[in-house]
Amino acid sequence: MFRSTLRGAAVAAVFLAGFAVSCDAEPATPAAAPSESSAAAAPSAAATPAASSAPGASAPDSSAPGPASPPASGGAGASALPGSPPEKVRDAFAGLQATLDGSCTPSECAYFLGRVHDELRGLDAAMKADPKGPGHFPEPIALIAKLDAELGGDRSFQNLKAHQTLLIGTRDKINTWMQGHPDDYR
């Protein structure tokens, strides 16, 4: 009796896991053939975070060169398929706000700084693509442009750590600006 119950539970778990994964997948665009969408998804699958970069895992070697971490969810290009519209400003801003309680702890610093950077890039893209136009968000776009100039395109952990004060300050200034302009993103 026990074996059949255990086997049934295992089958149900596998079915539910498969269902959850299929519900998480983004539908292919009508114009794209299934083989094209799976080919487009293959590079992004290779760029997904490894288990070692997940929250709670040990921090990457800060002396090793390279990117701080893979794109965080919600950031610029994190899960967007080529040709898909950018996030709405309110969604991108919510992703940025989700970083407010985070901090640069020794085990999470690379992930945290990379996520803040990615969320700022996603918000920048959303503001520039907003129907109101980029002129509707002058201060946040200028703050992100200043940060980008300082970073010089280098997203390595060492560079983000060296500019941590500017990175977090930019996030906080944009949060304050957006809180003062709620009609701009709702």
Side-chain angles (χ1 to χ4, degrees):
M1 176 79 179
F2 179 70
R3 283 187 156 164
S4 64
T5 305
L6 183 61
R7 190 175 304 142
V11 169
V14 169
F15 173 76
L16 290 174
F19 181 73
V21 169
S22 69
C23 289
D24 238 3
E26 293 184 27
T29 58
S35 62
E36 290 176 18
S37 64
S38 62
S44 65
T48 56
S52 64
S53 65
S58 63
D61 180 12
S62 62
S63 63
S69 65
S73 64
S79 64
L81 294 173
S84 64
E87 278 186 293
K88 292 184 176 183
V89 172
R90 70 168 184 241
D91 297 336
F93 180 51
L96 183 67
Q97 285 185 305
T99 68
L100 292 173
D101 291 331
S103 63
C104 198
T105 63
S107 65
E108 297 285 323
C109 197
Y111 169 80
F112 172 70
L113 294 178
R115 175 156 184 219
V116 170
H117 178 263
D118 291 344
E119 296 294 347
L120 286 168
R121 300 293 304 142
L123 182 60
D124 186 54
M127 289 177 171
K128 289 177 178 175
D130 190 78
K132 297 174 188 173
H136 201 72
F137 306 97
E139 190 171 332
I141 291 174
L143 288 167
I144 294 170
K146 179 182 175 189
L147 173 68
D148 287 345
E150 287 291 322
L151 293 176
D154 182 1
R155 191 190 174 284
S156 68
F157 172 66
Q158 294 82 7
N159 196 40
L160 293 178
K161 183 70 175 161
H163 294 92
Q164 179 177 348
T165 303
L166 178 62
L167 182 68
I168 302 304
T170 300
R171 176 203 65 186
D172 294 345
K173 287 176 186 174
I174 289 173
N175 181 56
T176 300
W177 189 92
M178 293 293 284
Q179 292 291 336
H181 297 82
D183 293 335
D184 292 342
Y185 63 90
R186 289 194 179 155

